[in-house]
Structures are given as structure tokens and as C-alpha cells.
Amino acid sequence: MLRVLSRSIRSSHLLRRSTEAVCVSSTRNLNLLEYQSKELLRECGVSVQNFAIVDDLTKTNSALEKLHEGEYVIKAQVLAGGRGKGWFDNGFKGGVHLTRDRNAVSNYVKNMLGHRLITKQTSKEGIPVQKIMIAESVDIVRETYVCILMDREYNGPVLIASPAGGMDIETVAEKNPEQIKTVPLDIYYGIDDEIAKDVSVFLGFSDPDILKKAMYELKNLWKLFVDIDALQVEINPFVETKDKQVIAVDAKIAFDDNAQFRQQNLFALEDVSEKDPREVDASRFNLNYIGMDGNIGCLVNGAGLAMATMDIIKLNGGSPANFLDVGGNVREDQVFQAFRILSEDPKVKVIFVNVFGGIVNCATIAKGIITASRNLGLQIPLIVRLEGTNVTEAKKVLADSGLPILTANNLDEAAKKAVKSVKA
């Protein structure tokens, strides 16, 4: 994300690039609901507002008993932005509501729970709301921004802070770069008292008692970052309240999928009900799948090559049905599973395999293709372009298989054959 004052203009691009790296390079992305992120914060000693979760309308009153009298925030728990401006399939508007009327809370829950919420980030069918978070409203005096993330340019974690919270941090970096402070962190020492105080003062926590609380919160954010193997922990806004508390109101957490083996309890929290079932299916075999609207199924190794493959299909007048990256160390059984997922999609009229064998052995891919084609009884055209390690042997394996496989010597030729096969 961002850097010290002299580098802060550049930092918005860095933030965007770091976020994109998380999305593209991981084989899967763990997404938690808002209340789950708040629970993680609370477990590590980070202050959040009191809240309760309702998954059954009859539990609303018992949930309210856990909260203090005052103003309540009622929020639908879905993995989509724009909830406040969204609408439900029953005509009810807004997935986020604020009220001082305790009796009105049940009505809000009734209109949201079990219904589908449509926002600018969902499909037109929307997402079913299975949980509602009821939280105590926070009386905010000031909003700030803090984020800890792994930054490749610094070869480690950095702490980014701004007194301009509650808004798009990239806009702040572009228009008011002096309001961005970035501090490289030592992975072994993290945020000590000196760093915590320096950043807290920069954020504007001047009252001695509040300053001490802000320092405490920052150090606990570092503890969370390390404990859960996070790639990013972003708090926006990080607020000062009228009763002189420092609270993390909203959090976005990105997780390191490579740490799943030691964070099994954390990854078990993921709610896959909102995901494309094909994406969930693919992730079980360490395949990265994203469904699209076209009719040419793509099986490719490497995210960059997969994106180039989709581009050249479009360039030749075709339409990709998916993004499917089998990775650099693909095994024969993974090739079979990839073929199965593609062949089960009724929209797919052609399968296009484009593999560059650097680490992966092209002969392994070829054997996997043949096994999958035979065992699945593949009835649609199959175009294969292989290049790299053992490609000569791989081409011979395909030629000797007796299967009606169309091969190509380059990417453009393969794409043309795939598009032509759809139109045939």
C-alpha cells in the first residue's frame, strides 16, 4: 500500500498493486463475513463495538439483551459491498439500518433475514441473508485509517496510517499525500512502543489517555496480523469516540492461503454458500476457477497465461466460459478434475487446453487429457496447444491416442481453431 511522506504519492498505486497481487496469485481466497472479522479482532484484544448475531427471528430479543440501550446498527451479513444502498427480493430497501427504537429492530431483522439482498456487487438474483449483525452504534468524534500489510517492495510488512479515515485511502494519497504515513516494520519486532506512539500522534490522538489507548490498539493489530498469518489487516475507520475510546469500526482482512495448513480452524470458518459451486469444487483440488458467460472452456497453467488465453479468444471473436488455472505443479489427477468441471458446464461447447511446460511436464498433461477424455466420454471438440518441457513426447502421446484431438503449434492458431469449432 503506501509509504513515508516523501513516497506517499506513489503509495496509492502500491496499495492497488498489493491488493491485486493477493487476488491473482492465490489459488483461493478466504473471505469472512464482517462479524467473523470483528470476532478475530476482539480475540486479539482489539476494541470493537459490542454486537450480537441473529440467524433466527426468534433470537432477536435475546440478542438485544446482550447490548446496551441506545442506538442500534442492523447489518445484513453477506460477502458483497454496497449493502446500505441495496434492496431485497421482498421489496425492502437497505441492508444496513440505524435506529434508536428497540422495538423496530425485530421488524428490520424480519425484512432482511432469509431474503435475498441485491447490491451493485451481486448478481441480479442477489445473495440470501442467513445472518444479521446487531451492533451498538458508536458515537464518533474522529475517523482515522490504519493498515498493516505485506509489501513486496519492502520485502516485509508495513504500517500505513492516515488521519483522514472513513474514505477511499487511494483518493487521500492522490489528493493529500501529506496525510499518508508509511512505516516499514521488522517482522521479528513488529510495532513497538516507539512506532505505536509516533503513528498515534500522527493520527491525531493527542489526549494522553486516548494516545495510550491508540498505542495499545496498534500493538494488538500487529499481534492479530502475525497470529492469523494475514497479508493485510485494514481498519477504516479507526475511530475516537465521545467517551474517549479507540475502536476499530470496520475491518478488511486478507489471508495468506499458503498458511492454511497451520490455520485450519480459521479457514474452517469460511462460508462457501455464497460462492459458485464450481469454484468451491475446483478449490478442493487446488485449482483456481472463475466462471464466465462464454462457451469456450479454458484449461491453462498460470494466471498470466490464462488471462492471455482469454484475451486471444476474444480477439478471434470467441467468448471464454471460464478462467481455470491448474498451476505450475499440476498432476494427472488434477487434469482429470479440471476436465470434469469444464465438461459439467452445459454452456461449454469446446475445451481449449493451453499449457506452457516450464515446471510442469507436458507429457503429464497429455496423459491427463487422454485419461480424462476417455473416462468422461468427452463429446465436445478438444483443442490442445502444448509448449515446453517434453513437448515432443507429449505431442506423440496425443497423436497415438486415437482420440479426435485438434492440436496447434501456437496460441493464435489454437484460438482460431477453438472459435471455429464453436461455430461449426
Side-chain angles (χ1 to χ4, degrees), residues 278 289 292 294 321 340-349:
R278 297 168 298 180
Y289 178 95
M292 302 176 75
R340 177 185 61 77
I341 292 168
L342 292 178
S343 63
E344 288 175 355
D345 185 345
K347 298 197 306 294
V348 172
K349 306 303 179 187

Side-chain angles (χ1 to χ4, degrees), residues 67-72 99-102 136-137:
L67 306 175
H68 298 300
E69 293 282 354
E71 195 169 43
Y72 305 98
T99 182
R100 291 184 177 277
D101 185 353
R102 187 183 181 93
E136 295 174 4
S137 178

Side-chain angles (χ1 to χ4, degrees), residues 32-264:
L32 297 183
L33 295 167
E34 179 185 5
Y35 83 91
Q36 293 173 314
S37 294
K38 286 182 180 292
E39 286 176 343
L40 289 177
L41 290 168
R42 190 161 57 186
E43 287 170 5
C44 276
V46 179
S47 298
V48 298
Q49 70 247 67
N50 291 330
F51 66 90
I53 296 300
V54 175
D55 56 11
D56 186 313
L57 186 59
T58 61
K59 298 179 181 178
T60 305
N61 287 332
S62 60
L64 286 170
E65 289 174 1
K66 301 175 184 177
L67 306 175
H68 298 300
E69 293 282 354
E71 195 169 43
Y72 305 98
V73 184
I74 303 96
K75 303 178 80 170
Q77 296 297 285
V78 295
L79 295 173
R83 288 174 294 174
K85 295 182 179 180
W87 65 95
F88 289 84
D89 55 3
N90 60 355
F92 187 68
K93 293 183 179 180
V96 178
H97 290 272
L98 197 64
T99 182
R100 291 184 177 277
D101 185 353
R102 187 183 181 93
N103 296 323
V105 175
S106 294
N107 188 53
Y108 284 124
V109 173
K110 180 181 178 181
N111 280 293
M112 292 194 285
L113 193 62
H115 295 285
R116 303 184 77 89
L117 176 62
I118 301 99
T119 79
K120 62 183 179 181
Q121 291 188 6
T122 71
S123 67
K124 60 182 179 181
E125 290 80 20
I127 299 174
V129 176
Q130 299 173 335
K131 287 183 172 65
I132 303 289
M133 182 178 75
I134 306 172
E136 295 174 4
S137 178
V138 178
D139 202 349
I140 299 172
V141 173
R142 240 171 18 88
E143 296 184 343
T144 71
Y145 172 97
V146 294
C147 178
I148 306 171
L149 84 160
M150 284 293 184
D151 188 329
R152 291 182 181 180
E153 184 167 310
Y154 279 82
N155 295 316
V158 294
L159 170 61
I160 302 141
S162 173
M167 61 181 72
D168 182 2
I169 195 63
E170 292 183 8
T171 302
V172 176
E174 182 180 345
K175 295 184 177 180
N176 303 101
E178 74 283 356
Q179 291 190 319
I180 299 290
K181 184 181 186 67
T182 305
V183 183
L185 301 173
D186 187 304
I187 191 67
Y188 295 105
Y189 298 103
I191 299 176
D192 57 19
D193 286 342
E194 182 180 353
I195 292 173
K197 183 176 182 179
D198 179 54
V199 172
S200 296
V201 170
F202 176 77
L203 290 174
F205 295 107
S206 54
D207 180 281
D209 290 337
I210 299 177
L211 175 64
K212 189 178 296 184
K213 290 176 181 177
M215 291 172 58
Y216 177 79
E217 299 296 330
L218 289 176
K219 290 193 285 185
N220 282 338
L221 279 175
W222 171 255
K223 180 179 185 300
L224 171 70
F225 183 81
V226 173
D227 286 355
I228 65 175
D229 287 300
L231 293 174
Q232 175 177 310
V233 175
E234 181 184 55
I235 308 298
N236 191 19
F238 183 61
V239 307
E240 176 184 336
T241 66
K242 278 191 175 180
D243 58 353
K244 296 189 175 183
Q245 300 301 315
V246 179
I247 294 177
V249 173
D250 200 3
K252 292 180 182 178
I253 303 175
F255 301 89
D256 185 352
D257 297 327
N258 294 312
Q260 183 176 358
F261 72 97
R262 64 184 179 201
Q263 297 286 353
Q264 293 184 21

Side-chain angles (χ1 to χ4, degrees), residues 216-418:
Y216 177 79
E217 299 296 330
L218 289 176
K219 290 193 285 185
N220 282 338
L221 279 175
W222 171 255
K223 180 179 185 300
L224 171 70
F225 183 81
V226 173
D227 286 355
I228 65 175
D229 287 300
L231 293 174
Q232 175 177 310
V233 175
E234 181 184 55
I235 308 298
N236 191 19
F238 183 61
V239 307
E240 176 184 336
T241 66
K242 278 191 175 180
D243 58 353
K244 296 189 175 183
Q245 300 301 315
V246 179
I247 294 177
V249 173
D250 200 3
K252 292 180 182 178
I253 303 175
F255 301 89
D256 185 352
D257 297 327
N258 294 312
Q260 183 176 358
F261 72 97
R262 64 184 179 201
Q263 297 286 353
Q264 293 184 21
N265 291 338
L266 180 59
F267 277 76
L269 295 174
E270 184 174 24
D271 179 5
V272 298
S273 63
E274 296 179 21
K275 283 190 172 183
D276 183 332
R278 297 168 298 180
E279 184 181 336
V280 177
D281 188 9
S283 69
R284 292 169 47 229
F285 305 101
N286 290 321
L287 304 172
N288 192 13
Y289 178 95
I290 300 172
M292 302 176 75
D293 296 327
N295 50 24
I296 299 177
C298 304
L299 189 159
V300 189
N301 69 319
L305 186 59
M307 295 173 74
T309 302
M310 292 189 292
D311 284 344
I312 202 163
I313 288 173
K314 295 289 286 185
L315 190 64
N316 282 281
S319 183
N322 65 276
F323 170 104
L324 200 165
D325 172 17
V326 297
N329 293 305
V330 62
R331 303 183 307 273
E332 192 173 326
D333 63 303
Q334 289 175 297
V335 175
F336 173 83
Q337 297 298 340
F339 263 79
R340 177 185 61 77
I341 292 168
L342 292 178
S343 63
E344 288 175 355
D345 185 345
K347 298 197 306 294
V348 172
K349 306 303 179 187
V350 173
I351 292 180
F352 179 10
V353 177
N354 183 26
V355 169
F356 182 83
I359 300 173
V360 66
N361 190 325
C362 286
T364 300
I365 296 290
K367 291 173 185 176
I369 289 170
I370 293 168
T371 300
S373 299
R374 287 175 174 161
N375 291 348
L376 294 170
L378 198 65
Q379 300 296 314
I380 58 177
L382 173 59
I383 291 83
V384 178
R385 181 255 182 172
L386 300 176
E387 196 59 70
T389 306
N390 268 353
V391 67
T392 303
E393 180 187 346
K395 288 181 177 179
K396 185 176 185 305
V397 169
L398 293 176
D400 293 346
S401 69
L403 295 172
I405 299 172
L406 297 175
T407 59
N409 293 318
N410 59 63
L411 181 53
D412 189 54
E413 178 191 352
K416 283 181 167 65
K417 287 185 176 182

